[in-house]
Amino acid sequence: MTSADESRSLDEGSTLSRPLLATLTIDWELAAYGGLLLFVVATRFWDLGSRALHHDESLHALYSWFLYVGRGYIHDPMMHGPFQFEATALIYLLFGASDYTARVLAAIFGVWIVLSPYFLRHELGRLGALIAAALFAISPSFLYFSRFAREAIYFGGWELLVVIAIFGYLRERKRAYLYLLSLGTILAFATKETVFITGAIFLGFFVLEALASLVRGRPSVGWSALKSIAPRDWAIMITIFLGVYMVMYTTFFTNPKGIISGSWGALTYWLAQQGVQRGGQPWFYYLLLIPLYEFLPLLSALGGLLFVVARRKLSRIGLFAWFNIVWFLGALLIYSWAGEKMPWLDLPIVEPLVFLGAMALAGLLRRVGSARIAEGPGLTALVVVSMVGIVLLGGLVAAPPVGGSQLGVQSELIQRGSMALLLALLVGALVVTGMRHGAHVAVVPACLACTLVLLALTIHTSWGVTYERGDIPQDMLVYVQTSPDVPYVVREIERISQQTGAGKDLKILLDGGYTENVAGQAVTHESIAWPFEWYLRDYRNKSYYSRTFTTPTDAAVILAMVPNEEPIRASLGNYVAIRGRLNWWYPEDYKTLTWQKVWQGLMDPAVRAKLWRYFLYKETLNPLGSRDFDFFVRSDLARGIPLQPSAAPPPPVPAEPQGQPSEAKAQVVPGGITIYGKTASGTSVLGQPRGVALGPNGYLYVVDSAASKVFAFRPDGTVALQIGKKGTGDGEFNEPWGLAVAPNGDVYVADTWNHRIQRFDANGRFLGKWGTFADARGQVGVQPGGFYGPRDVAIAPNGNLYVTDTGNKRVQIFDPEGRFVAMFGGDGTDPGRFKEPVGIAVDASGNVFVADTWNRRIQKLGPAGQPLAQFPVDGWDSQSIVNKPYLAVSQGGQLFYTEPERHRLVILDSSGRVIGSKGTLGAEPGSFNVPVGIAVSASGELFVADANNSRVVKLQSWR
């Protein structure tokens, strides 16, 4: 036989020559897993790189990239085990480094987790395993974190591998499962230190199982399996564990210290972090998170447990079900007790819950036939339950309360009464069906209909949190997410690098943060490094500065955290800026929940409506929080940037005003409007007027931030007085913003960037000052009398001064001599807390009104800061440095506020209802260009600081 004949003969007998369908038998189960596989691959890998990398993702991506490009990797317990870095570096080697490939490993594990129940079909049943796979596929938690480059999803995959190995060995006693168990354990260990928690729970279960078996006089399944392991298998298992440990923790024998850091170092670091309590979440965190997202397996598992208890069939619960009950309860208790609570740590709690829910749903589906759903009674029950769901959904979503007028109230009562009657009739029909044909005929269709509703809500929730809002933290699952502003800025840097021809040699300066000593305390100012270290990894000419520039800079681009800009402010005259959010977060208003608050909220129909809308649409009750940065671009490169340079630093202080103050005169124009701050020739005396106030002598006091002065104008518009100049001495200012005048004529000025309040008499003579720099980081009760940047002052009827300590997000109260009295507020979104408080006003009753700018509301508070009411404001939607609104309150209780970036003022009545507005962008009388300060006279005249028009406008009437 020739060689050609031999080759032909071999080919004809090989597997490759056989028909595919003759080799592969496809049944409905395999087809279902195949369809599920296509679904899960699509949902995990589609559009994987569109969302900006989270802070933690950028760390993992960059250090993996260092290993990929040959800079090595040294294990650091701070970032958990080495597995994710070494595996991601391999993916980079295959497919290159990008946001997409940084998440490929997470997507792979997301696919594995969905398919893993297939290997537990003996324990779950074939139907139960398929349901578990489907639940993993649509789970909001597992879908979201399958597209998130963090170790939680990898650890979840290794946990399931360990479970498969344990129960595979219990079932078949094959030594391959032991080797798989050893491999899964070491890979879980090389992923995250939470392996100790899982190990303790799994070991605890088999100890309990052994004790229960001893009490009942039965052989222990776990102990029998343990005794069956031969010494040779123990040796192989230990060899697998230590071999993988050595290779991974030493990074392929290039880092010998990894042997210690991977064992003792990892455990001690992880234990130490529990005291840090990163995130500061309450003990009930997972009791909120899991029902909010994993309601389908949770309610299914609870329903199945109730059914078993009701039928008194606890003895029929199998070993695997008991294992998952202990796993779920143990994980929930330990992770709730642990100091660090994060949304991704719900995965080890949800995994056993999915198995329990799947077993319950499988049991429900097996009873569908006996409930005769295709026949009359069962079909009737199914239709009735579906109609109940439609009516409830219509009442919660499609038919909100009318309210308001008497007719509206009556309509609402009729509407609610009709719904209640219809629901009563439907529930009655369901009860009658059950009584006539057996309870199971009504209960099973009811449970099936509820399951279908929960299934639809789960898909709705998963899609929303993963694809609609993946980088918008309206969900509790989305934790301090990098905002879309970051990749936008990166694209702009890329455009500038190409525009200038500098390419990857473009000169970039980044804010490295700094620490300073304030009143004996170390105050840390955070760096902008992450995630920009990842996004700018290829730029060779980037460097960091700390606090200030060592030499004048000509960098093309500067990236700076907003709270750190004061030391470099004077060096930015040649730059324009675009403000963005570095990262933002869900408003964690649940942290202050108490049982009393929960009960009061559930009893309040308005609160219940808000909670339902959050569950369904994720409409947060309070605005999102954020950390902001400025993207400074050198002026000669800024042309063509599509964003407004709204966050540009203040213009340089002019050496002399354009017109002499003595030439200023009020200009009366048609429409009852008077202009202050202009000369007869139309030149400006003022640079950038900010705060305005009226004195008992009839003078109009104006703070000019650009000139660092306070002007006092007589009623005829001539200048009666000038106070101050640029500087840090007594009577000197550094960009003052607000002021107030006491009944005795004393003038109090918020000397913003000298971090103090200065006091002058009616003649401008310096009387005193108080305040030092303080970064309270949004806390109340610390560093009293210290300011980050006071913006406004208001005087109460009792003579006390209320000062908005803007950067510290609080209000401080002083007596007329500057002695500290009290403070209130603090960082937050709850009533009584603030995000960028600026303007402040006090009415005749002592009530305090605060422009809570970044929370987009005006808060009305009592004299001690107790919350009384909130008035929403749509026009404060920006966080630029010019969006600093001020307030004034009339003797009649009307409230006036400015919307600087909408170039208008708005009037509210005493109940907070908008009753008028005035102004458009322009320089003509009646128009404004960034109005800021506002004051109202006893006769109702309004004075508005029209900052960018360098004037103050008096409106005889706002109507």
Side-chain angles (χ1 to χ4, degrees):
M1 182 181 290
T2 65
S3 59
D5 293 333
E6 291 175 352
S7 298
R8 190 179 304 110
S9 176
L10 289 172
D11 286 343
E12 289 173 354
S14 70
T15 301
L16 295 176
S17 65
R18 297 174 187 170
L20 176 61
L21 295 180
T23 306
L24 181 64
T25 301
I26 300 178
D27 56 16
W28 283 109
E29 182 186 21
L30 195 60
Y33 278 104
L36 201 57
L37 177 61
L38 293 176
F39 171 80
V40 74
V41 167
T43 54
R44 269 58 178 178
F45 283 91
W46 174 68
D47 203 27
L48 195 57
S50 61
R51 187 177 71 237
L53 257 63
H54 181 277
H55 172 281
D56 293 0
E57 289 185 290
S58 69
L59 278 165
H60 304 152
L62 186 69
Y63 281 89
S64 301
W65 182 75
F66 286 160
L67 179 59
Y68 160 61
V69 298
R71 293 174 57 176
Y73 164 76
I74 297 176
H75 171 250
D76 184 345
M78 182 192 75
M79 290 184 284
H80 304 291
F83 168 76
Q84 64 176 324
F85 300 99
E86 295 167 3
T88 304
L90 174 61
I91 290 172
Y92 290 165
L93 180 66
L94 296 174
F95 306 110
S98 67
D99 285 16
Y100 188 101
T101 55
R103 293 183 174 128
V104 163
L105 185 64
I108 291 172
F109 271 78
V111 174
W112 154 244
I113 286 172
V114 172
L115 296 181
S116 62
Y118 179 84
F119 302 97
L120 291 167
R121 289 176 297 162
H122 182 273
E123 288 72 27
L124 290 165
R126 296 175 67 181
L127 180 59
L130 187 59
I131 292 173
L135 290 177
F136 278 129
I138 64 172
S139 160
S141 299
F142 280 93
L143 178 56
Y144 180 78
F145 289 113
S146 294
R147 301 165 57 85
F148 194 91
R150 211 179 192 285
E151 63 280 342
I153 195 69
Y154 319 139
F155 184 79
W158 298 135
E159 269 192 319
L160 293 178
L161 185 65
V162 168
V163 171
I164 290 169
I166 290 173
F167 282 88
Y169 187 75
L170 292 177
R171 182 175 63 247
E172 302 177 30
R173 292 295 196 273
K174 291 182 179 179
R175 60 181 52 171
Y177 284 115
L178 296 177
Y179 307 153
L180 192 65
L181 173 62
S182 180
L183 180 63
T185 303
I186 179 53
L187 289 173
F189 183 88
T191 298
K192 198 171 185 181
E193 297 77 10
T194 44
V195 69
F196 294 110
I197 293 177
T198 300
I201 294 171
F202 288 5
L203 181 61
F205 168 76
F206 284 105
V207 169
L208 291 174
E209 186 269 338
L211 292 174
S213 299
L214 182 64
V215 170
R216 295 182 178 184
R218 300 174 181 176
S220 167
V221 175
W223 179 245
S224 300
L226 188 64
K227 290 191 299 181
S228 70
I229 303 176
R232 174 177 174 271
D233 293 328
W234 279 113
I236 294 175
M237 291 167 65
I238 293 171
T239 301
I240 291 172
F241 187 96
L242 293 179
V244 175
Y245 177 91
M246 293 290 291
V247 170
M248 299 197 76
Y249 276 93
T250 62
T251 317
F252 310 103
F253 305 104
T254 62
N255 172 37
K257 293 181 180 179
I259 297 174
I260 302 301
S261 67
S263 54
W264 180 249
L267 180 59
T268 54
Y269 176 82
W270 179 74
L271 291 174
Q273 285 302 297
Q274 301 312 304
V276 176
Q277 297 189 359
R278 195 162 62 101
Q281 302 296 347
W283 65 269
F284 52 81
Y285 179 65
Y286 297 110
L287 297 180
L288 289 176
L289 190 69
I290 292 175
L292 190 59
Y293 291 96
E294 303 300 334
F295 43 83
L296 176 55
L298 177 63
L299 294 177
S300 300
L302 288 175
L305 183 61
L306 288 175
F307 175 80
V308 170
V309 171
R311 292 294 185 94
R312 298 179 181 180
K313 295 182 177 180
L314 283 174
S315 60
R316 296 180 61 180
I317 296 179
L319 182 70
F320 189 69
W322 279 118
F323 173 80
N324 281 282
I325 290 171
V326 173
W327 182 7
F328 169 71
L329 293 176
L332 179 62
L333 289 173
I334 294 175
Y335 283 105
S336 296
W337 167 81
E340 181 173 322
K341 302 176 186 69
M342 294 293 172
W344 45 80
L345 290 177
D346 78 333
L347 299 188
I349 307 173
V350 174
E351 280 179 329
L353 191 62
V354 166
F355 289 139
L356 292 170
M359 286 187 280
L361 290 174
L364 173 65
L365 292 179
R366 292 190 189 100
R367 288 170 173 79
V368 167
S370 63
R372 295 177 292 170
I373 287 182
E375 302 174 15
L379 186 60
T380 299
L382 185 63
V383 171
V384 168
V385 174
S386 301
M387 291 183 66
V388 169
I390 292 171
V391 172
L392 286 174
L393 189 64
L396 291 169
V397 179
V402 180
S405 64
Q406 184 176 0
L407 179 61
V409 173
Q410 292 175 352
S411 300
E412 180 183 346
L413 290 174
I414 293 172
Q415 171 186 299
R416 291 185 179 276
S418 302
M419 285 179 55
L421 178 61
L422 182 56
L423 282 173
L425 292 173
L426 291 171
V427 172
L430 188 64
V431 171
V432 170
T433 301
M435 293 175 64
R436 288 183 177 179
H437 303 281
H440 67 288
V441 175
V443 171
V444 171
C447 293
L448 183 61
C450 291
T451 300
L452 293 175
V453 171
L454 294 176
L455 176 66
L457 285 174
T458 296
I459 294 172
H460 164 78
T461 302
S462 293
W463 183 270
V465 69
T466 306
Y467 303 110
E468 290 183 3
R469 303 179 300 272
D471 53 6
I472 304 173
Q474 295 172 232
D475 291 85
M476 286 178 65
L477 277 182
V478 183
Y479 190 81
V480 193
Q481 171 61 33
T482 301
S483 87
D485 297 340
V486 170
Y488 174 84
V489 165
V490 173
R491 290 192 296 270
E492 284 301 305
I493 291 175
E494 180 68 22
R495 185 187 62 79
I496 292 170
S497 71
Q498 295 174 0
Q499 170 187 319
T500 60
K504 299 305 179 184
D505 290 315
L506 186 74
K507 189 172 183 180
I508 303 172
L509 270 180
L510 295 100
D511 181 358
Y514 60 93
T515 301
E516 63 179 350
N517 188 289
V518 178
Q521 295 183 343
V523 177
T524 300
H525 296 258
E526 294 177 301
S527 167
I528 202 171
W530 302 99
F532 279 110
E533 270 294 302
W534 160 256
Y535 282 110
L536 302 178
R537 62 191 180 277
D538 292 323
Y539 285 86
R540 296 177 287 269
N541 200 13
K542 71 175 187 292
S543 59
Y544 285 85
Y545 69 90
S546 178
R547 187 178 176 87
T548 59
F549 307 139
T550 55
T551 58
T553 181
D554 62 345
V557 168
I558 302 172
L559 297 172
M561 298 298 293
V562 171
N564 302 352
E565 289 178 10
E566 174 56 23
I568 63 170
R569 188 179 297 271
S571 304
L572 299 175
N574 191 36
Y575 289 83
V576 296
I578 301 166
R579 180 153 298 179
R581 298 177 177 93
L582 183 68
N583 45 39
W584 46 351
W585 51 84
Y586 174 84
E588 297 175 328
D589 30 31
Y590 55 82
K591 287 185 175 181
T592 59
L593 280 179
T594 62
W595 289 114
Q596 183 180 8
K597 288 183 178 180
V598 170
W599 177 254
Q600 291 174 346
L602 293 177
M603 293 299 101
D604 186 340
V607 173
R608 290 200 303 269
K610 289 181 179 179
L611 291 175
W612 167 252
R613 293 194 67 81
Y614 179 73
F615 173 76
L616 196 58
Y617 306 115
K618 297 302 180 289
E619 294 178 0
T620 58
L621 277 65
N622 290 294
L624 307 180
S626 68
R627 294 167 64 233
D628 300 335
F629 73 100
D630 277 332
F631 170 42
F632 291 97
V633 180
R634 210 172 60 218
S635 298
D636 60 310
L637 303 175
R639 290 184 293 273
I641 289 183
L643 293 181
Q644 294 292 328
S646 59
V653 178
E656 293 293 337
Q658 295 178 352
Q660 293 300 316
S662 59
E663 301 173 358
K665 190 173 183 179
Q667 301 175 20
V668 180
V669 296
I673 297 173
T674 304
I675 305 296
Y676 290 84
K678 299 285 187 178
T679 66
S681 62
T683 57
S684 297
V685 169
L686 300 169
Q688 280 192 322
R690 303 291 192 188
V692 294
L694 298 169
N697 53 5
Y699 287 177
L700 170 66
Y701 292 83
V702 182
V703 169
D704 187 346
S705 293
S708 290
K709 285 185 178 183
V710 174
F711 287 84
F713 294 93
R714 299 182 183 92
D716 64 359
T718 58
V719 176
L721 193 65
Q722 294 183 68
I723 305 172
K725 63 178 182 178
K726 179 77 171 181
T728 59
D730 294 347
E732 297 177 341
F733 303 111
N734 186 8
E735 198 181 330
W737 273 72
L739 81 166
V741 184
N744 68 350
D746 285 355
V747 181
Y748 296 87
V749 183
D751 188 6
T752 305
W753 297 121
N754 278 331
H755 318 288
R756 64 188 181 185
I757 302 296
Q758 295 201 65
R759 178 187 177 194
F760 304 87
D761 67 13
N763 297 316
R765 182 170 61 91
F766 174 78
L767 296 179
K769 63 182 179 182
W770 68 89
T772 58
F773 174 75
D775 186 355
R777 304 183 71 81
Q779 299 181 52
V780 178
V782 300
Q783 304 183 63
F787 301 106
Y788 193 98
R791 292 277 184 174
D792 199 16
V793 186
I795 299 175
N798 64 0
N800 282 344
L801 276 69
Y802 288 75
V803 181
T804 49
D805 185 7
T806 302
N808 285 327
K809 308 181 190 308
R810 61 189 184 183
V811 172
Q812 298 198 59
I813 309 172
F814 303 89
D815 71 11
E817 303 300 321
R819 289 183 288 266
F820 175 80
V821 175
M823 68 172 75
F824 57 83
D827 186 16
T829 57
D830 292 342
R833 291 184 174 270
F834 306 113
K835 294 279 188 183
E836 197 73 1
V838 180
I840 189 166
V842 182
D843 67 13
S845 300
N847 296 315
V848 183
F849 299 84
V850 180
D852 190 6
T853 313
W854 293 352
N855 279 330
R856 291 184 290 176
R857 65 188 178 188
I858 296 171
Q859 292 204 60
K860 179 181 180 181
L861 309 114
Q866 60 271 32
L868 300 177
Q870 300 180 57
F871 311 137
V873 177
D874 293 333
W876 297 345
D877 51 359
S878 164
Q879 294 189 11
S880 75
I881 63 171
V882 298
N883 186 30
K884 297 292 178 277
Y886 280 69
L887 309 175
V889 60
S890 71
Q891 292 183 348
Q894 293 165 334
L895 186 64
F896 304 84
Y897 67 86
T898 53
E899 292 184 347
E901 292 186 326
R902 291 194 179 183
H903 314 287
R904 68 174 186 168
L905 61 94
V906 180
I907 305 95
L908 309 178
D909 64 15
S910 56
S911 66
R913 184 173 60 91
V914 176
I915 56 175
S917 63
K918 203 171 189 69
T920 56
L921 175 61
E924 63 276 5
S927 298
F928 302 107
N929 190 348
V930 187
V932 182
I934 189 169
V936 58
S937 70
S939 58
E941 300 164 322
L942 289 180
F943 296 81
V944 183
D946 190 7
N948 284 6
N949 280 330
S950 302
R951 67 189 183 187
V952 175
V953 177
K954 173 186 171 184
L955 302 173
Q956 196 69 34
S957 172
W958 55 267
R959 294 187 182 276

